[in-house]
Amino acid sequence: MIQNLVLQNIAKHISLDENEISYFLSILKEKKYPKKSMILKEGEICKTINFVQSGILRAFYRDQEGKESTIMFAISDWWITDMACFINQQPAILNIETIEDSLVFFLQKEDLDELYIKIPKFERFFRIIMQNAYIREQLRVIQNLSLSAEQRYYIFLEKYPQVAKQVTQKQIASYLGITPEFLSMIRANKNKQAFS
């Protein structure tokens, strides 16, 4: 069953019986996206919360000058959306694109709301997912305020080694809030230290 990964993800936090699994799978939709597909564009209403079955996605903000700042990556077994816009059904402020060919499962907002009514334990599941995301982003803000770019880069490599292997240096730099050139200097310095 191709949905095993998403069911395993859910089972980390809640237990479902066969009828609940069956209902959940009946509202879960899937879509294959080629590399560089836009799943969500700023200004659109964010209608889905997405689970990455395979591939990798990137959420980013583009300022008025066109500079991109990566907000988050999502690899296999991760959830991603523009949460504020999804919950409030407002135009998106983020863009979400595929970095490589990706298979994504998703829930529509109205289906998720119905899921909460029919299987209330899903409220617990998504509360945990959102709490974890909030904690992660809070720590990231504190790191951005208190650590050097070099320290943040090493933490990124340690915390997300799989992501670091799958995305470009330019995308990592935009996640860290530095230029690709500065990241190259950090990496060169790291390589020097490794060989000294």
Side-chain angles (χ1 to χ4, degrees), residues 81-135:
T81 191
D82 182 332
M83 190 57 72
C85 299
F86 176 70
I87 296 297
N88 299 314
Q89 288 296 277
Q90 296 173 339
I93 54 174
L94 297 180
N95 299 279
I96 301 177
E97 71 170 354
T98 59
I99 291 176
E100 58 186 43
D101 293 349
S102 301
L103 174 60
V104 176
F105 292 118
F106 60 92
L107 292 168
Q108 302 273 4
K109 175 72 166 66
E110 58 271 19
D111 290 332
L112 182 62
D113 290 340
E114 189 70 19
L115 183 63
Y116 290 157
I117 294 165
K118 292 196 173 177
I119 310 174
K121 61 181 97 171
F122 269 100
E123 284 194 311
R124 171 181 159 75
F125 173 76
F126 282 104
R127 175 178 54 79
I128 292 168
I129 294 294
M130 290 177 200
Q131 282 175 342
N132 290 343
Y134 182 81
I135 290 165

Side-chain angles (χ1 to χ4, degrees), residues 8 23 52 58 74 91 116 152 159:
Q8 289 167 11
Y23 177 73
V52 183
R58 175 177 81 111
Y116 290 157
R152 296 196 317 270
K159 200 166 182 182

Side-chain angles (χ1 to χ4, degrees), residues 23 39 75 77 104 151 167 177:
Y23 177 73
I39 289 179
I75 59 173
D77 196 34
V104 176
Q151 289 170 312
V167 302

Side-chain angles (χ1 to χ4, degrees), residues 142-149 151-152 155:
I142 291 167
Q143 288 172 357
N144 285 346
L145 293 171
S146 62
L147 300 177
S148 70
Q151 289 170 312
R152 296 196 317 270
I155 288 169

